[in-house]
Amino acid sequence: MAKQFFANVKSVLSGDTLVLTSQNNPNAERIFSLAFVTGPHLKREGDEPFAFQSRDYLRKLVVGKAVQCTILYTIPTSGKDYGVAQLKDGTQLPDELVKAGWLKVREDAGRKEESEEVLQRLETLRSLEAQAKSEGKGLWEGVGGEIEVQNDTSALDINEWKGKTVDGIVERVLSGDRLLVRLKLSDKKHLQVMTLVAGIRAPSTERVNQSTGQTQPAEEFGNEARQYVEQRLLQRDVKVEIVGISPQGQLIASILHPRGSIAEFLLADGLARCNDFHSTLLGPKMAALRAAEKKAQAAKLRLHKDHVAKADAGGSSDMIVSKIQGADTIFVRTKNGAEKRINLSSVRGPRANEPSEAPFREEAKEYLRKKLIGKHVKVSIDGHRPASDDFEARDVATVTEKGKNINLMLVQDGWCSVIRHRKDDTDRAPNYDELLAAQEKAKEEKKGMWSGKPSKAKSYVDVSESVQKAKIQLSTLSRQKKVPAIVDFCKAGSRFTILIPREGVKLTMVLAGVRAPRAPRSPQEKGEPFGQEALDLANRRCNQRDVEIDIHDIDKVGGFIGDLYINRESFAKILVEEGLATVHQYSAEKAGNASELLAAEKRAKEARKGLWHDWDPSQDEEAEEEAAEAEPANDAVPADKRSADYREVVVTNIDANGKLKIQEVGKGTSALEILMNEFKKFHIDPKNNKPLANPPKTGEFVAAKFSADGQWYRARVRSNDRAAKVAEVVYIDYGNTEKIPWSNLRPLDQPQFTTQKLKAQAIDAVLSFIQLPTAPDYFNDALNYIAEVTDGRSLVASFDYVDPKEGLSYITLFDEKKSGTTFADSINKDVMANGHALVPKKLKAWERGRASEEVLKKLREVEAQAKADRLGMWEYGDITED
């Protein structure tokens, strides 16, 4: 009696052969051939005609379905079972394939059979075959059954096919991420190659090492991952989205079945991990895979059963960058003044041991210094690296400045590479895939260290190496004023290593006119009192900052003596004012900054700061007298000793230093209007078109043609470029400046237009009781705000103090259209309220007095509110903390 059993169809080898699995034990497999028929076979050396079509008809019919099989006979020598099968819907095999013309009845079938049932079955099959033959179905079509099958990716033009989606069939599953896929490139051409599932890495399955013959055991969950994919994809129709070729020549592609990407399902069930090496191939599509992996990690599924969730770092923190150690390492200062080291997440600067990268180390570091030093940044901690043999414990973080991701910018511009993390390393940047894509783009565009060109980093000659070198350089530097430089290192509160890029020199600089106490050279050494505090202040304010220097002289060992300006302010004065340096009277007078330094020292003494914490005025009468002598002879009168002086004004210009140019409305402006009408008529007349007889001189008054409106105005020459024949002029009645060709200048020697006839109408002024920020961005914001609230408006100015020595008026401005003339109604207060100014810490002499106390008290309240509201310069917190 024929034996019957039920099974599931795992796959189809050809049109006449099935691979079955037990319904109770999916690992138990058997091969079952259909009796009395034969079909063309798929072979490695080349398929027989119609072999694929025959098998494909059966594959679509039965794979993944349950069948009832009846064994009719077994070949004793091979143990191969032959029989018939029936699907749940009643479809009979092999009858259905013979009817469709994809199988032939064997000629020798039934020769030895005596069973009526078998003979009847054969008769039915031959009848179906005859019908298919007459209709030219399947194999009986006779032509067109050949399909070219290639087994090597070299036959595929990846540039042509990359990004395209191709129909395919999964022929074999080697592991969760390695499949043998048949790509149907066209009706007559197929490509059957090993394919890596894009974006994932699944554990390996058990396999035999061909060279040693030893069996290599499967990794944990390796066999489970393979079975997972087999059940869902083996011999199923899939969409193959080609993304690239691996270095070993294997195809990399996303495998999509009707429910979605198999990679996402494997990741979500914890049977695979994301493959970072495929990130750049997938681009934005990698995000979905990362999300699926995180879901499995959160649930601790399979591969992630031991996953430890990363502790929440508590968002981002506002900090100030105090030092750049390298292209990937910075030091930041927190609000409480503590300094900590931060490594940038997932990026690495040029490596010293890599010949192609090492030359770019200094250039990459300088790139980051220009971007970050002294800036307010947001630091988002992504993880923590414990201490090891070579490295101390450190945080890794993503750093942003004004919303710009610094880690990403470094990679985009080719100054950092992306670290390849271990598969279990979660201490990585949240935008890791974006970093990988940016690196590939930087390499393509040959940016930074990927340029293939020599580094442009400057090399500096140490001119303090010897007195002879210092003397030669002194002759150059002493003729220049405010030379742009960089503080490379702070040796002490008043001693620095300075880089001057435009000269290509490095020098040791000592501040003129002051002496700071000696700082300890090591933690074990004891320095002078307040020496460490002076060095800390220098590091905080000056280290790695862009500065300006004035050089006066050299000392006997090759050090350069001069003034150092940070944000336009003398650092020597800052040191003295904080009580962290004393004034050296003789050298200060020689340098010409004695008055400023002695006044600062007096304030430090009165405040009992630093070195003067125990100062006794009675024992220092002589020093007090010297400080008093250093004050200007026409010292300002305190505010409560002056009478009010209100005048109508208009603001005509605001220069780059924040000074206002104002005109007083009244007799002067009326006279100017009359003069300008005559001036315009004079220069329209062609006979007055007389150029300058000689090149203009600095300080000379001229008539200048304003580029914006083509009209002529009175001006004074500020500077000359004789090579280009261009002069910088200031328009004396309005205060603005510009550079114009000599050809647009005319003599101003007509008596009716000279300054003797009508003095220059633009008056230099600054707003009283407020100090504009020194950071360039916030300084420009402040100037823009002042321009906005004053432009084209009739204003009233309270002239609080006029400094005849500087030719500068200190004013409080009021909008004429608004009522009120108290300070609370002023534009000065509005500038402060919008976070564009701060209360000066050091008041000028005229700002002191009882009348000023109420104004300053109100201003401090306004400043505190602006800080609380994070307006203007306070957007990242209190910038004055350092």
Side-chain angles (χ1 to χ4, degrees):
M1 184 178 175
K3 180 182 177 183
Q4 291 186 343
F5 64 91
F6 289 90
N8 294 327
V9 180
K10 179 181 178 181
S11 62
V12 175
L13 298 180
S14 62
D16 57 7
T17 307
L18 310 174
V19 177
L20 307 177
T21 59
S22 168
Q23 290 183 331
N24 299 320
N25 180 13
N27 292 324
E29 296 182 5
R30 66 191 297 179
I31 294 176
F32 184 79
S33 297
L34 299 177
F36 312 125
V37 292
T38 183
H41 293 165
L42 297 116
K43 298 180 180 179
R44 188 167 186 81
E45 58 272 16
D47 298 344
E48 295 177 357
F50 295 105
F52 173 77
Q53 295 90 327
S54 174
R55 188 203 69 165
D56 213 43
Y57 187 87
L58 181 59
R59 177 187 68 81
K60 291 176 179 178
L61 205 61
V62 301
V63 166
K65 296 179 181 179
V67 292
Q68 180 184 355
C69 298
T70 303
I71 300 175
L72 298 180
Y73 59 89
T74 302
I75 304 297
T77 54
S78 63
K80 208 171 184 182
D81 296 327
Y82 286 82
V84 293
Q86 181 176 319
L87 299 176
K88 284 185 177 181
D89 63 2
T91 302
Q92 298 283 338
L93 303 176
D95 303 48
E96 180 65 24
L97 277 91
V98 174
K99 180 181 176 182
W102 293 117
L103 290 180
K104 293 180 179 180
V105 180
R106 288 169 51 191
E107 293 179 2
D108 60 348
R111 285 182 183 177
K112 298 179 181 181
E113 289 290 344
E114 298 177 357
S115 166
E116 284 294 328
E117 184 182 350
V118 171
L119 292 173
Q120 182 62 39
R121 183 177 290 278
L122 282 169
E123 186 178 341
T124 301
L125 290 174
R126 287 194 173 107
S127 173
L128 292 172
E129 181 184 51
Q131 183 181 346
K133 192 173 183 180
S134 66
E135 294 176 3
K137 287 184 178 179
L139 305 174
W140 306 111
E141 186 177 350
V143 293
E146 293 85 1
I147 294 177
E148 180 188 354
V149 181
Q150 294 180 311
N151 303 98
D152 190 350
T153 52
S154 61
L156 186 73
D157 183 353
I158 190 63
N159 294 322
E160 178 189 347
W161 289 94
K162 188 174 181 179
K164 293 184 178 179
T165 301
V166 182
D167 289 330
I169 301 168
V170 176
E171 298 286 2
R172 188 178 169 198
V173 179
L174 284 84
S175 63
D177 61 352
R178 291 170 183 266
L179 317 174
L180 185 66
V181 179
R182 187 180 189 112
L183 303 178
K184 295 188 276 188
L185 303 180
S186 68
D187 291 341
K188 296 297 181 182
K189 184 175 181 180
H190 291 182
L191 179 68
Q192 186 166 297
V193 290
M194 181 64 66
T195 302
L196 306 180
V197 180
I200 64 168
R201 168 75 174 86
S204 63
T205 54
E206 181 180 282
R207 56 188 184 277
V208 177
N209 190 317
Q210 299 297 329
S211 59
T212 62
Q214 293 181 339
T215 300
Q216 190 170 337
E219 293 178 350
E220 189 177 19
F221 301 110
N223 291 334
E224 188 177 342
R226 182 185 63 191
Q227 289 170 4
Y228 184 97
V229 177
E230 276 186 345
Q231 290 170 6
R232 290 159 176 78
L233 293 190
L234 184 61
Q235 286 209 332
R236 306 304 206 281
D237 288 313
V238 294
K239 296 288 185 182
V240 182
E241 193 175 284
I242 299 170
V243 297
I245 297 285
S246 75
Q248 293 76 32
Q250 296 165 323
L251 189 70
I252 304 173
S254 296
I255 307 299
L256 310 173
H257 62 87
R259 285 191 176 184
S261 166
I262 190 63
E264 284 188 46
F265 286 105
L266 281 165
L267 289 166
D269 284 335
L271 290 171
R273 298 180 191 274
C274 284
N275 188 339
D276 295 336
F277 289 92
H278 293 176
S279 175
T280 53
L281 299 174
L282 287 170
K285 294 179 181 178
M286 194 72 188
L289 303 187
R290 298 281 186 199
E293 183 180 48
K294 284 185 178 179
K295 182 180 174 183
Q297 288 172 342
K300 296 193 173 185
L301 295 178
R302 298 182 177 88
L303 289 171
H304 309 294
K305 64 183 188 294
D306 298 322
H307 175 74
V308 178
K310 190 163 58 174
D312 186 5
S316 58
S317 304
D318 291 339
M319 300 185 186
I320 297 174
V321 179
S322 57
K323 182 181 177 183
I324 308 295
Q325 182 163 312
D328 56 11
T329 308
I330 64 174
F331 283 83
V332 293
R333 192 166 58 256
T334 60
K335 287 187 176 180
N336 61 13
E339 193 171 64
K340 64 186 294 187
R341 169 178 165 158
I342 295 291
N343 277 54
L344 302 184
S345 298
S346 301
V347 302
R348 176 172 51 207
R351 291 167 287 182
N353 57 352
E354 286 289 333
S356 62
E357 297 180 15
F360 295 93
R361 285 170 63 82
E362 289 304 316
E363 201 172 348
K365 179 182 175 182
E366 176 63 8
Y367 173 92
L368 189 59
R369 186 196 70 82
K370 288 180 177 178
K371 293 281 183 190
L372 288 190
I373 193 67
K375 300 284 183 68
H376 286 258
V377 296
K378 287 189 180 293
V379 178
S380 302
I381 303 297
D382 299 321
H384 181 77
R385 292 275 188 263
S388 62
D389 294 340
D390 299 325
F391 300 100
E392 60 186 32
R394 62 203 185 279
D395 288 331
V396 293
T398 297
V399 175
T400 57
E401 194 265 329
K402 291 186 178 178
K404 295 179 180 177
N405 187 315
I406 298 301
N407 307 41
L408 181 60
M409 289 177 67
L410 281 161
V411 176
Q412 286 175 331
D413 290 334
W415 299 119
C416 276
S417 56
V418 182
I419 296 170
R420 295 290 184 178
H421 291 282
R422 299 187 311 273
K423 61 184 180 182
D424 58 344
D425 185 1
T426 58
D427 293 341
R428 59 174 67 190
N431 64 332
Y432 185 69
D433 296 314
E434 188 180 9
L435 292 174
L436 289 169
Q439 177 175 261
E440 291 304 308
K441 189 174 181 182
K443 286 181 177 180
E444 287 174 14
E445 296 177 357
K446 298 186 180 299
K447 288 186 174 181
M449 61 181 170
W450 314 117
S451 65
K453 299 176 182 177
S455 169
K456 295 178 182 177
K458 280 187 172 292
S459 56
Y460 293 92
V461 177
D462 188 354
V463 292
S464 289
E465 190 176 52
S466 68
V467 177
Q468 185 179 3
K469 281 186 178 180
K471 285 180 178 177
I472 295 171
Q473 191 64 40
L474 175 65
S475 62
T476 301
L477 294 177
S478 61
R479 293 196 299 267
Q480 304 178 49
K481 294 296 179 185
K482 299 288 179 69
V483 179
I486 302 165
V487 176
D488 188 49
F489 184 70
C490 299
K491 298 180 177 181
S494 60
R495 195 174 186 87
F496 309 91
T497 300
I498 301 290
L499 305 178
I500 306 178
R502 76 182 186 192
E503 299 288 338
V505 299
K506 176 173 75 172
L507 54 86
T508 297
M509 181 175 178
V510 183
L511 296 181
V514 301
R515 183 193 179 278
R518 181 174 56 81
R521 296 182 182 178
S522 66
Q524 295 77 28
E525 185 181 341
K526 189 176 180 182
E528 295 177 349
F530 294 98
Q532 186 61 50
E533 288 84 345
L535 177 58
D536 290 344
L537 179 63
N539 277 320
R540 208 161 54 240
R541 298 293 296 272
C542 301
N543 191 32
Q544 294 189 329
R545 304 298 208 281
D546 289 312
V547 297
E548 293 176 319
I549 60 172
D550 281 341
I551 299 298
H552 309 313
D553 205 347
I554 60 171
D555 59 23
K556 56 187 177 183
V557 292
F560 288 74
I561 302 169
D563 299 322
L564 183 146
Y565 298 91
I566 179 82
N567 293 326
R568 303 187 184 92
E569 190 174 12
S570 165
F571 185 67
K573 188 195 79 169
I574 294 171
L575 265 180
V576 172
E577 209 157 35
E578 293 298 323
L580 297 175
T582 56
V583 179
H584 188 274
Q585 180 84 26
Y586 172 76
S587 58
E589 288 177 353
K590 186 177 178 183
N593 57 359
S595 298
E596 180 183 47
L597 295 179
L598 288 169
E601 187 176 65
K602 181 181 179 183
R603 291 192 291 273
K605 287 178 178 179
E606 290 171 350
R608 303 294 197 280
K609 287 185 176 181
L611 293 163
W612 312 110
H613 65 285
D614 56 357
W615 175 67
D616 182 359
S618 64
Q619 297 177 4
D620 200 17
E621 291 178 4
E622 185 179 342
E624 189 74 19
E625 289 171 9
E626 289 176 4
E629 289 171 9
E631 293 289 332
N634 56 344
D635 197 4
V637 179
D640 53 344
K641 299 284 181 69
R642 298 188 307 272
S643 57
D645 178 11
Y646 293 96
R647 309 177 202 173
E648 290 184 30
V649 298
V650 291
V651 175
T652 57
N653 190 56
I654 304 174
D655 70 18
N657 294 317
K659 286 183 182 177
L660 308 183
K661 305 291 183 178
I662 62 174
Q663 290 179 354
E664 289 185 36
V665 177
K667 187 176 179 181
T669 49
S670 300
L672 178 62
E673 188 175 350
I674 295 168
L675 181 142
M676 288 310 300
N677 287 333
E678 295 299 321
F679 200 70
K680 184 177 179 181
K681 291 177 184 177
F682 178 86
H683 285 283
I684 287 175
D685 192 342
K687 68 182 180 183
N688 296 319
N689 184 10
K690 296 178 181 177
L692 295 174
N694 299 302
K697 297 177 181 177
T698 301
E700 182 181 1
F701 289 97
V702 294
K705 189 176 183 180
F706 186 36
S707 59
D709 61 8
Q711 299 297 319
W712 294 85
Y713 298 89
R714 300 193 300 172
R716 182 170 54 83
V717 178
R718 290 183 63 177
S719 63
N720 256 324
D721 183 347
R722 293 185 176 274
K725 294 188 176 181
V726 170
E728 183 182 17
V729 300
V730 56
Y731 294 98
I732 61 175
D733 298 310
Y734 300 91
N736 53 316
T737 64
E738 72 169 348
K739 292 183 178 180
I740 57 176
W742 289 355
S743 57
N744 285 347
L745 299 179
R746 292 179 182 175
L748 189 66
D749 51 8
Q750 303 83 17
Q752 68 273 31
F753 301 136
T754 62
T755 54
Q756 285 77 25
K757 180 70 175 178
L758 180 66
K759 69 176 183 178
Q761 291 298 295
I763 301 171
D764 283 343
V766 293
L767 298 179
S768 302
F769 300 107
I770 68 171
Q771 178 183 327
L772 300 184
T774 54
D777 290 343
Y778 297 133
F779 181 74
N780 289 331
D781 289 346
L783 297 190
N784 291 336
Y785 179 82
I786 295 169
E788 183 181 334
V789 297
T790 59
D791 185 37
R793 300 190 186 187
S794 296
L795 306 169
V796 174
S798 169
F799 280 70
D800 303 317
Y801 174 64
V802 178
D803 187 342
K805 185 176 179 181
E806 296 289 337
L808 188 63
S809 297
Y810 293 83
I811 61 173
T812 301
L813 280 178
F814 303 89
D815 193 331
E816 194 178 48
K817 292 181 180 178
K818 297 179 182 178
S819 60
T821 54
T822 65
F823 196 89
D825 306 311
S826 69
I827 288 173
N828 302 40
K829 187 271 294 182
D830 291 342
V831 175
M832 180 79 72
N834 283 276
H836 296 307
L838 62 161
V839 178
K841 287 187 177 179
K842 303 116 189 176
L843 298 175
K844 298 175 180 61
W846 68 267
E847 291 174 321
R848 305 181 195 124
R850 292 177 184 173
S852 301
E853 288 175 2
E854 193 61 28
V855 171
L856 293 167
K857 180 182 176 183
K858 176 64 179 175
L859 274 179
R860 290 189 178 99
E861 292 173 0
V862 172
E863 182 187 60
Q865 187 60 47
K867 287 181 184 178
D869 295 341
R870 295 293 183 95
L871 298 176
M873 75 175 88
W874 314 116
E875 62 179 328
Y876 297 120
D878 192 347
I879 64 171
T880 64
E881 287 180 342
D882 62 326

